[in-house]
């Protein structure tokens, strides 16, 4: 069994690069069209391949990708051929479409794109004739992923929503299981300014008679999920807060080398001392949600999973860019926290997973994110902020971001370096200087570098470190 999903570093071949260029020539994924009809028409022209395999459909605000990867790994351990669609990617666009634990092969990616192109063109022409925008980047990518899964073929697809749920292009699938990670405010411009509004949109993935599995939610969010589940005559399993009764839950989580040992009460069974190779209490909760989702898929929540198979699947799970160490001397850890909710989870998990007497944070954010909220969540665990600017046109200017950071933590803790490579080098130097000044005794935890704030930034740093030939 493949140990997790690897990240393909380095330049793509010409065919993949050309397909990526053609996809990005479409309207970007951060400007989604609030519609399903366009994607439905495209897959209809293809013969509705989304009905060729069952689907576990995942939405939420934080933890979607990690939970999706754990679900996929557990299901694959049970002998099923899997498809996995997640977004965004860190380094290679092929990370978004995974077949049986491996990013889709370049030739399959290109061949499937060429096969669906005539149907995308037909859909584009019909949309323009109706006075509408042609298929967007994410709509076209969704059609491509579905085509790839049908072509593979896969036994089950684990599909992460791009944004929201109700009108997200992935909602052309009929999910036998609908999974909800914690719902908070993000993408407010597209989804709404309250948790209830956002939850209402996300609840749109619940299909008639589906099994619904949800992490702990605020009362407002849970109310929307309960209402949608009742209207769809779907079952609903919700993570319990505590106590001997109620829903599935984490019973215990203990830090271990390379991750943590987790005991979980599922919806159908209890599982003790499972090794989860991911750090943080939030990842233990993601594991509990993943287990409940697989129980709901394989046995409709009535049959416990084989503990040996479950252990194998969880132990093989990875989630690149999520509290992941990527270099040593000094330790460099990356985390894709890009909103306050994710940053708070990071702030809680970091001191436990990577004890350090001095954390140098390399932070860069996108312009549409709550930059101040991210800084407030991290300011008690980060000693020095190296403010930078993620690649791409959506990045918040480094000087503008620095003004926010200075306002929150004061000028003495802030360094500005817009270039990402220079920012990483500066952070490493600051960490080394902190160690030299501290005159550490043998065995004492030294300074470290934390990179966070933007998934695009994380991908760039991972590529830089990979190019150096380093590994954690």
């Amino acid at each position: 069994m493949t140990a997790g999903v690897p990240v393909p570093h380095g330049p793509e071949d010409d065919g993949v690069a050309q397909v990526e260029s053609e996809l990005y020539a479409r309207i970007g994924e951060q400007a989604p069209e609030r519609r399903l009809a366009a994607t439905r028409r495209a897959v209809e022209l293809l013969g509705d391949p989304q009905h060729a395999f069952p689907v576990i459909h995942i939405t939420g605000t934080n933890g979607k990708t990690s939970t999706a990867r754990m679900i996929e790994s557990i299901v694959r351990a049970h002998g099923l051929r899997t498809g996995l669609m997640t977004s965004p990617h860190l380094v290679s666009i092929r990370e978004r479409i995974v077949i049986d634990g491996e990013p889709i092969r370049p030739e399959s990616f290109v061949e499937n794109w060429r096969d669906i192109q005539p149907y995308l063109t037909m859909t584009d022409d019909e949309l323009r004739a109706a006075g509408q925008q042609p298929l967007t980047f994410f709509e076209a990518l969704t059609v491509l992923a579905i085509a790839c899964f049908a072509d593979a073929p896969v036994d089950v697809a684990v599909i992460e929503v791009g944004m929201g749920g109700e009108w997200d292009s992935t909602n052309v699938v009929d999910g036998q299981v609908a999974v909800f990670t914690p719902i908070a405010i993000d993408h407010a411009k597209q989804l709404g300014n309250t948790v209830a509004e956002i939850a209402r949109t996300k609840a749109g993935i619940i299909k008639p008679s589906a099994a619904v599995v949800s992490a702990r939610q605020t009362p407002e969010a849970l109310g929307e999920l309960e209402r949608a589940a009742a209207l769809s005559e779907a079952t609903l399993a919700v993570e319990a807060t505590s106590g001997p009764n109620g829903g599935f839950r984490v019973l215990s989580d203990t830090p271990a080398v390379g991750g943590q040992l987790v005991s979980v009460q599922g919806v159908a069974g209890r599982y003790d001392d499972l090794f989860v190779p991911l750090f943080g209490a939030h990842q233990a909760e993601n594991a509990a949600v993943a287990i409940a989702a697989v129980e709901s898929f394989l046995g409709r929540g009535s049959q416990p999973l084989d503990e040996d198979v479950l252990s194998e699947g969880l132990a093989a799970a990875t989630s690149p860019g999520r509290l992941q160490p990527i270099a040593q001397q000094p330790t460099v850890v990356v985390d894709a926290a890009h909103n306050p909710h994710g940053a708070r989870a990071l702030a809680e998990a970091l001191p436990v997973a990577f004890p350090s007497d001095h954390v140098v944070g390399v932070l860069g954010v996108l312009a549409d994110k709550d930059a101040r909220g991210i800084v407030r969540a991290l300011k008690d665990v980060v000693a020095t902020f190296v403010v930078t600017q993620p690649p791409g046109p959506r990045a918040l200017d480094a000087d503008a971001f620095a003004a926010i950071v200075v306002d929150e933590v004061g000028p003495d803790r802030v360094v500005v370096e817009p270039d990402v490579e220079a920012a990483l080098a500066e952070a490493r130097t600051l960490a080394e200087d902190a160690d030299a000044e501290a005159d550490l005794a043998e065995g004492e935890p030294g300074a470290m570098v934390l990179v966070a704030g933007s998934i695009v930034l994380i991908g760039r740093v991972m590529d830089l470190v990979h190019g150096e030939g380093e590994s954690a």
Side-chain angles (χ1 to χ4, degrees):
M1 178 177 177
T2 303
V5 180
V7 174
H9 288 278
E12 294 286 8
D13 67 24
D14 291 344
V16 172
Q18 179 60 35
V19 173
E20 187 171 11
S21 175
E22 292 173 22
L23 277 164
Y24 278 118
R26 295 175 175 273
I27 296 172
E29 60 187 319
Q30 293 302 318
E33 293 286 319
R34 297 171 64 93
R35 64 187 186 188
L36 264 185
T39 310
R40 279 203 180 112
R41 178 56 176 158
V43 293
E44 179 186 37
L45 291 170
L46 280 170
D48 286 322
Q50 75 275 17
H51 299 316
F53 44 82
V55 170
I56 300 172
H57 204 181
I58 303 172
T59 189
T61 301
N62 288 297
K64 296 189 299 295
T65 299
S66 295
T67 304
R69 287 177 178 275
M70 283 190 264
I71 290 171
E72 184 275 336
S73 192
I74 296 168
V75 171
R76 182 158 42 90
H78 281 81
L80 298 178
R81 184 169 171 82
T82 56
L84 172 66
M85 180 183 178
T86 59
S87 62
H89 61 274
L90 288 164
V91 175
S92 166
I93 195 169
R94 293 189 293 111
E95 297 167 43
R96 297 179 182 236
I97 303 173
V98 174
I99 306 292
D100 215 21
E102 296 283 346
I104 189 166
R105 292 180 295 111
E107 56 270 29
S108 297
F109 185 79
V110 175
E111 287 168 9
N112 277 288
W113 175 253
R114 298 301 172 213
D115 286 346
I116 70 171
Q117 261 193 317
Y119 304 98
L120 299 182
T121 300
M122 290 170 63
T123 307
D124 289 340
D125 290 343
E126 290 179 5
L127 289 167
R128 289 191 186 97
Q132 299 181 43
Q133 293 282 359
L135 292 166
T136 66
F137 168 93
F138 196 74
E139 287 171 334
L141 184 69
T142 299
V143 178
L144 175 59
I146 288 169
C148 290
F149 294 155
D151 178 66
V154 301
D155 298 318
V156 55
V158 181
I159 295 179
E160 177 189 338
V161 162
M163 186 183 294
E166 180 182 9
W167 41 260
D168 185 79
S169 60
T170 65
N171 207 26
V172 296
V173 304
D174 291 325
Q176 280 74 15
V177 180
V179 181
F180 295 85
T181 63
I183 297 171
I185 294 177
D186 197 13
H187 302 295
K189 182 179 177 181
Q190 294 90 353
L191 302 179
N193 293 310
T194 69
V195 170
E197 285 180 277
I198 294 170
R200 195 174 307 130
T201 299
K202 293 182 184 293
I205 72 166
I206 298 174
K207 301 302 194 300
S209 302
V212 180
V213 173
S214 175
R216 287 201 306 269
Q217 305 289 356
T218 63
E220 306 95 304
L222 183 58
E224 295 296 335
L225 300 187
E226 289 173 336
R227 187 176 299 110
L231 288 171
S232 300
E233 297 183 342
T235 61
L236 175 60
V238 181
E239 181 187 4
T241 52
S242 62
N245 301 311
F248 66 90
R249 60 201 178 278
V250 176
L251 299 173
S252 66
D253 61 293
T254 306
V257 176
Q260 55 190 314
L261 290 176
V262 178
S263 294
V264 171
Q265 175 62 55
V267 295
R270 174 178 171 140
Y271 314 96
D272 291 312
D273 295 329
L274 300 167
F275 178 66
V276 178
L278 302 168
F279 298 97
H282 61 294
Q283 294 291 13
E285 295 194 5
N286 289 341
V289 173
I291 290 168
V294 177
E295 288 177 314
S296 299
F297 177 72
L298 292 177
R300 196 65 184 183
S302 62
Q303 299 175 19
L305 302 176
D306 182 284
E307 196 150 351
D308 290 338
V309 178
L310 172 59
S311 294
E312 178 189 354
L314 267 182
T318 59
S319 195
R322 276 74 182 174
L323 210 57
Q324 178 186 2
I326 61 170
Q328 296 176 331
Q329 297 179 335
T331 297
V332 178
V333 173
V334 296
D335 190 88
H338 58 279
N339 56 42
H341 185 276
R344 286 191 292 272
L346 168 60
E348 291 175 8
L350 187 69
V352 177
F354 300 97
S356 171
D357 64 347
H358 189 99
V359 177
V360 181
V362 178
L363 257 67
V365 300
L366 301 185
D368 62 346
K369 298 299 180 181
D370 182 358
R372 190 175 296 275
I374 293 169
V375 175
R376 284 179 176 170
L378 295 176
K379 67 181 183 181
D380 290 337
V381 295
V382 173
T384 305
F385 289 83
V386 179
V387 176
T388 191
Q389 191 166 313
R394 295 177 54 223
L396 178 61
D397 176 78
D399 288 331
F401 184 29
I404 295 171
V405 183
V406 167
D407 190 48
E408 289 293 328
V409 306
D412 294 343
R413 292 170 58 188
V414 181
V415 176
V416 184
E417 181 46 74
D419 179 76
V420 173
E421 186 171 4
L424 178 62
E426 176 68 14
R428 283 167 152 169
T429 299
L430 289 170
E432 290 165 357
D433 291 347
D435 279 348
E437 290 179 15
D439 192 23
L440 298 171
E442 187 175 348
E444 282 188 86
M448 63 169 290
V449 175
L450 168 70
V451 185
S454 161
I455 295 173
V456 180
L457 173 64
I458 301 307
R460 173 64 178 145
V461 168
M462 289 177 71
D463 231 9
L464 285 170
V465 171
H466 183 269
E468 298 168 354
E470 294 198 47
S471 60

